[in-house]
Amino acid sequence: MPRVDYDALEQRYKAQFFNSLVGPKNVCLVGTRDAENRTNLAVFNSLVHIGSNPPLLGIVFRPDSVERHTYENILSTEEYTVNLVSEYDIEAAHQTAARYPKDQSEFEATGLSTEYIDGFHAPMVSSSPVSFGLVFRENVPIALNGTNLIIGEVQWFKFPEEIIESDGFANLPQASVVGCIGLDAYTKLSIVQRYEYAKPDKPPRIKS
Amino acid sequence: MPRVDYDALEQRYKAQFFNSLVGPKNVCLVGTRDAENRTNLAVFNSLVHIGSNPPLLGIVFRPDSVERHTYENILSTEEYTVNLVSEYDIEAAHQTAARYPKDQSEFEATGLSTEYIDGFHAPMVSSSPVSFGLVFRENVPIALNGTNLIIGEVQWFKFPEEIIESDGFANLPQASVVGCIGLDAYTKLSIVQRYEYAKPDKPPRIKS
């Protein structure tokens, strides 16, 4: 087993190492619009499923980062969108991580288009295969390192109907949805297999 | 845009639909050992990177589920392992989700082997390409739906040295690490591209 003196690692090396080694991640774009109608779009890879009933999603926010505008907009307007990324939008999604000033929209800067749902304040990404409209529900402070887990409840769903299988499963690779590894690597996905619900008295059974 | 009356969906359909539609997920096995030295292993897909400095990982626990033994062992022994899953262990990993009684180890039931680090109470999965040894740091209750975010600090890392690139990036597909979609689909990953750190005054640049 390789020995790692983690604390001694150079800061950027450390960030690359730990962010990538932790495992495959999701990647999504969070769309907001402030009270002055300035839109904002930022890439995240810390989306976490909190529950299905009601449908809750959490996102971890790091303090004093480029994510700040998104954080402020969510808390002040209480509406935001989460948009999955297709392989055709990888470059634009990555570019939203740049530190643009607040009066420059990442939509305009990256060429991604806004799209709106009637009565919902925040823009979604028009070209995203899957988008969710969320209403802010809880801001959970994580005292350990000053991050915040922002939880929202999904109000509406945009998705291509043809990727939903008969049991409700969304076949995301069919919509070219990508994931990521670490801070800057984007991944295509292929489903190896689905399995039936696991039971102690039965061996693993492939879902047909 | 398809209209979804989410609340009206049948319960299992709803769980499949929302768990899969939320995007690509990680999958990991959490290894614990209780005070009576009974080992436990359970599959999770809610691992979230909380911070790199110190290296913190969070996992969302649902109440009164099959994850209960893992939750209790983490709180009582304060040590646990997080193990990424290779494509060769998918069936065994999925099978750990079955409701085995507390005195039956999922290691024995699924054929996965334990491996120990000197002085660390919890077992890792011998065949996992990447494992972390964690010490419990914080239990963050999520009032909204009664879940808990358990956060631990990484004490040691097991990984194949050859997948670490010169800038610290861990090339997980080279170690056959898989992800998942929803509750039961396991995914292979392929890296499309890595990008340089995004800057407002520069277009996206592919990392060479």
Side-chain angles (χ1 to χ4, degrees):
Chain A
M1 195 165 95
R3 293 180 69 89
V4 179
D5 182 0
Y6 185 80
D7 291 336
L9 295 177
E10 186 271 323
Q11 192 184 342
R12 273 180 300 184
Y13 186 99
K14 183 188 285 186
Q16 284 285 359
F17 174 75
F18 191 58
N19 270 281
S20 53
L21 198 63
V22 297
K25 293 179 178 177
N26 53 68
V27 56
C28 66
L29 289 161
V30 177
T32 55
R33 180 162 61 138
D34 70 10
E36 286 81 50
N37 289 324
R38 294 177 296 190
T39 59
N40 192 281
L41 191 66
V43 67
F44 285 81
N45 53 28
S46 60
L47 187 72
V48 59
H49 174 265
I50 302 290
S52 293
N53 209 6
L56 300 172
L57 293 176
I59 299 172
V60 178
F61 283 80
R62 288 159 185 83
D64 302 325
S65 70
V66 67
E67 307 156 4
R68 204 75 203 168
H69 298 158
T70 302
Y71 182 77
E72 290 165 358
N73 289 349
I74 290 176
L75 294 184
S76 64
T77 69
E78 302 204 335
E79 290 186 342
Y80 56 111
T81 66
V82 165
N83 306 271
L84 303 188
V85 176
S86 85
E87 60 180 289
Y88 312 107
D89 286 341
I90 291 174
E91 286 203 356
H94 185 74
Q95 186 64 17
T96 65
R99 290 182 178 270
Y100 292 104
K102 183 145 190 179
D103 58 5
Q104 182 165 14
S105 170
E106 289 81 5
F107 281 99
E108 285 156 29
T110 64
L112 293 170
S113 299
T114 57
E115 188 178 339
Y116 289 91
I117 297 287
D118 270 358
F120 197 84
H121 188 69
M124 62 176 154
V125 177
S126 176
S127 54
S128 279
V130 176
S131 298
F132 304 98
L134 290 102
V135 170
F136 168 73
R137 286 286 182 247
E138 194 171 338
N139 184 357
V140 183
I142 298 172
L144 264 177
N145 69 343
T147 52
N148 289 74
L149 176 68
I150 295 281
I151 302 177
E153 181 174 342
V154 177
Q155 303 293 299
W156 51 259
F157 308 78
K158 180 189 93 168
F159 58 92
E161 275 179 277
E162 63 273 18
I163 70 166
I164 309 297
E165 300 184 358
S166 58
D167 64 346
F169 177 77
N171 192 315
L172 298 178
Q174 278 183 14
S176 302
V177 169
V178 297
C180 76
I181 296 174
L183 302 163
D184 56 30
Y186 296 85
T187 55
K188 286 218 278 196
L189 314 160
S190 58
I191 295 174
V192 181
Q193 210 71 257
R194 292 186 67 196
Y195 287 90
E196 299 285 351
Y197 190 83
K199 298 192 170 178
D201 58 347
K202 288 188 178 157
R205 292 148 293 148
I206 289 174
K207 208 165 222 175
S208 53
Chain B
M1 197 164 94
R3 293 181 69 87
V4 179
D5 182 0
Y6 186 79
D7 290 337
L9 296 177
E10 185 271 325
Q11 194 184 340
R12 275 179 300 185
Y13 186 99
K14 183 189 285 185
Q16 283 286 359
F17 174 74
F18 190 58
N19 270 280
S20 53
L21 198 62
V22 297
K25 294 178 178 178
N26 53 68
V27 56
C28 66
L29 289 161
V30 177
T32 54
R33 180 162 61 138
D34 70 11
E36 287 80 50
N37 289 323
R38 293 177 297 190
T39 59
N40 192 281
L41 190 66
V43 66
F44 285 81
N45 53 27
S46 60
L47 188 73
V48 59
H49 174 263
I50 302 291
S52 293
N53 209 5
L56 300 173
L57 293 176
I59 299 173
V60 178
F61 283 79
R62 287 158 186 84
D64 302 324
S65 71
V66 67
E67 307 156 3
R68 205 73 203 172
H69 298 158
T70 302
Y71 182 76
E72 289 165 359
N73 288 348
I74 291 176
L75 295 184
S76 64
T77 69
E78 302 202 336
E79 291 186 342
Y80 55 111
T81 66
V82 165
N83 307 269
L84 303 189
V85 176
S86 85
E87 61 181 288
Y88 312 108
D89 286 340
I90 291 174
E91 286 204 355
H94 185 74
Q95 186 64 18
T96 65
R99 290 182 179 270
Y100 292 105
K102 184 145 192 179
D103 58 7
Q104 181 166 14
S105 170
E106 290 81 4
F107 281 100
E108 285 157 29
T110 64
L112 293 169
S113 299
T114 57
E115 188 178 341
Y116 288 91
I117 298 287
D118 270 358
F120 197 84
H121 187 69
M124 63 175 153
V125 177
S126 176
S127 54
S128 278
V130 176
S131 298
F132 304 97
L134 290 103
V135 169
F136 168 72
R137 286 285 182 249
E138 194 171 339
N139 184 356
V140 184
I142 298 171
L144 263 178
N145 70 344
T147 53
N148 290 76
L149 176 68
I150 294 281
I151 302 177
E153 182 174 342
V154 177
Q155 304 293 299
W156 51 259
F157 307 79
K158 180 189 93 169
F159 58 91
E161 275 179 277
E162 64 274 18
I163 70 166
I164 309 297
E165 301 184 356
S166 59
D167 64 346
F169 177 77
N171 192 315
L172 298 178
Q174 278 182 14
S176 302
V177 169
V178 296
C180 76
I181 297 175
L183 302 163
D184 56 30
Y186 295 85
T187 54
K188 286 218 280 195
L189 313 161
S190 57
I191 295 175
V192 181
Q193 210 71 257
R194 291 186 66 194
Y195 287 90
E196 299 285 351
Y197 189 85
K199 298 192 170 178
D201 58 347
K202 288 187 179 159
R205 293 148 292 149
I206 288 174
K207 207 166 224 176
S208 53

